[in-house]
Amino acid sequence: VGYRTGHGCPDEHYVAVISETVTFLLQCDKLSMATLLFESYKELSEAVAQSQSARLGRDKEEKEEREKRERKEGRFNDFVEHPCEKDINAIICKPLQGCVQSTFSFLL
């Protein structure tokens, strides 16, 4: 539940629940728990973005190297993208609600 995309990142509903939970914890004066949840989600988001960037960089280098090698060998085949590549390339963690981000930009 909450990972409806099937790719491991929380969907919009789950992100809203996390945001609402952080807000609730802040209202209940549970700053340390709210901060832990906020920071954990932020780390997840950064890890996903970093992994995505590294993977796309490797894929680009591999494609360029393959094209270079094929040209040297006198052959060149068009690159065929697997149908799921666009879905994989679009994986991101949606940002938490603006009010939560604003609150923590002030607190941290």
Side-chain angles (χ1 to χ4, degrees):
V1 181
Y3 291 98
R4 295 183 186 138
T5 61
H7 297 298
C9 283
D11 65 11
E12 291 168 5
H13 170 74
Y14 198 55
V15 171
V17 170
I18 294 169
S19 295
E20 291 167 10
T21 303
V22 170
T23 300
F24 174 77
L25 291 169
L26 290 170
Q27 291 170 345
C28 293
D29 205 25
K30 303 289 184 186
L31 181 60
S32 63
M33 289 174 51
T35 302
L36 180 62
L37 181 55
F38 176 80
E39 290 292 333
S40 296
Y41 188 81
K42 185 176 166 187
E43 288 175 15
L44 170 67
S45 182
E46 290 169 356
V48 168
Q50 184 179 26
S51 176
Q52 190 73 297
S53 177
R55 189 187 62 77
L56 289 171
R58 281 191 311 271
D59 286 354
K60 182 180 177 187
E61 287 177 13
E62 288 173 6
K63 180 181 175 185
E64 289 171 354
E65 192 62 37
R66 185 179 63 250
E67 286 176 358
K68 186 177 176 182
R69 187 177 56 249
E70 287 177 355
R71 287 176 203 262
K72 275 186 176 179
E73 294 172 358
R75 59 185 174 89
F76 182 74
N77 299 316
D78 289 334
F79 179 73
V80 178
E81 185 175 69
H82 192 277
C84 73
E85 284 293 314
K86 288 181 183 172
D87 292 336
I88 299 299
N89 292 342
I91 294 174
I92 60 165
C93 284
K94 304 212 181 301
L96 295 174
Q97 293 173 351
C99 61
V100 172
Q101 292 185 43
S102 297
T103 300
F104 277 94
S105 69
F106 176 73
L107 291 175
L108 300 179

